Amino acid sequence: MDCPECSSNIDVNKKSEGICMKCGSEKTVYKCTNSHQFCESCLDNLSFERIKEICISSTSINPYDILRDIFDSDSLRFHDYKHHVAVGCALIAAHRNSGFEIDISPLIDEMIKRGRKVPPGSCGLMGNCGAAVSVGTFYSIMTGTTPYSEKTWSDANLATAQSLIEMAIIGGPRCCKRNSMVALRVGSRIAIEKLGSQIVLSEMKCTDHDRNKECIKERCPFYS
């Protein structure tokens, strides 16, 4: 991750105690190579801001292009709960770009607000991967679904359920990149069928497996 102060690298695998340069709180911080230090909460907020910037500026109708731009921006660690936000944001942006005149800024804000509440490791600890929840959240936001809705309530839950089923069939252990691509595939299908979206999802191939010591290789449909 780039340092917001000097753009040098912040090693998110190394932490210490100190005072955050952003919020001024004394807590666990991460330092860049020039010793600027920030707490995890402030770094997360900066990452979410970057995800929003990418989605608002994108013109692609391919949600995988948008998700890859998010991956390549170094806004997410390889395994990171921010994938729970990135999937839904990419779907919102691609849906807008496919011919729907909607102001996505408040929609992205709502996706961030809801998605960041899904805790890290929920795939294994709760049996409910946040990338799958991101699909249901995307559908809920686009349709204005609430706990009192009828048909769209069912569809929002089915969106998450279908994503979870496809992930579970592939099997574990976890991989945030694999699960995000599975979720994106399901979410694109649902956007087309339920929302009339003109999203076009390209073939997805993993380019990150060498960074994942838990990679399941040939068992993964995106392994290449």
Side-chain angles (χ1 to χ4, degrees):
M1 178 179 291
D2 289 342
C3 172
E5 189 72 20
C6 67
S7 297
S8 64
N9 182 256
I10 292 178
D11 188 347
V12 293
N13 296 310
K14 294 182 179 179
K15 52 189 177 182
S16 59
E17 297 302 310
I19 297 176
C20 175
M21 292 181 62
K22 184 77 172 175
C23 67
S25 300
E26 186 172 355
K27 55 176 70 173
T28 301
V29 294
Y30 301 86
K31 294 182 180 181
C32 75
T33 51
N34 291 320
S35 297
H36 300 123
Q37 54 191 33
F38 301 89
C39 69
E40 186 168 16
S41 178
C42 286
L43 288 178
D44 283 351
N45 288 336
L46 290 168
S47 292
F48 289 130
E49 289 173 13
R50 181 63 182 134
I51 290 171
K52 181 178 180 179
E53 290 170 3
I54 290 169
C55 291
I56 288 178
S57 63
S58 174
T59 60
S60 176
I61 64 172
N62 182 355
Y64 183 56
D65 285 346
I66 302 171
L67 190 66
R68 280 259 40 121
D69 285 344
I70 293 171
F71 288 169
D72 294 342
S73 72
D74 201 26
S75 296
L76 292 75
R77 295 185 294 272
F78 191 91
H79 299 296
D80 193 324
Y81 85 108
K82 288 186 281 294
H83 289 81
H84 307 170
V85 165
V87 170
C89 286
L91 288 167
I92 290 171
H95 179 64
R96 185 273 311 265
N97 296 341
S98 73
F100 292 81
E101 294 185 6
I102 52 177
D103 179 9
I104 69 168
S105 180
L107 304 182
I108 294 292
D109 287 341
E110 187 63 22
M111 185 69 233
I112 293 171
K113 177 183 174 182
R114 298 186 196 184
R116 71 186 304 171
K117 292 180 180 178
V118 184
S122 57
C123 55
L125 299 175
M126 302 170 71
N128 197 25
C129 174
V133 175
S134 195
V135 178
T137 306
F138 156 72
Y139 184 81
S140 172
I141 289 172
M142 298 309 303
T143 56
T145 299
T146 75
Y148 302 101
S149 302
E150 290 189 29
K151 186 179 186 305
T152 57
W153 184 95
S154 297
D155 289 339
N157 281 274
L158 281 170
T160 298
Q162 288 170 4
S163 301
L164 287 172
I165 287 170
E166 292 198 16
M167 293 173 187
I169 289 172
I170 295 169
R174 60 120 189 229
C175 175
C176 287
K177 300 295 186 287
R178 180 186 73 234
N179 283 1
S180 291
M181 287 189 277
V182 170
L184 206 67
R185 186 167 62 188
V186 175
S188 297
R189 187 168 68 235
I190 288 170
I192 293 167
E193 294 174 358
K194 301 290 186 179
L195 303 177
S197 183
Q198 299 300 308
I199 280 176
V200 176
L201 184 66
S202 66
E203 181 182 5
M204 295 181 285
K205 290 186 177 181
C206 179
T207 58
D208 302 297
H209 49 76
D210 288 343
R211 297 165 52 206
N212 183 13
K213 64 180 181 180
E214 295 143 4
C215 178
I216 61 174
K217 301 187 185 302
E218 286 79 8
R219 284 200 292 122
C220 175
F222 311 111
Y223 182 76
S224 60

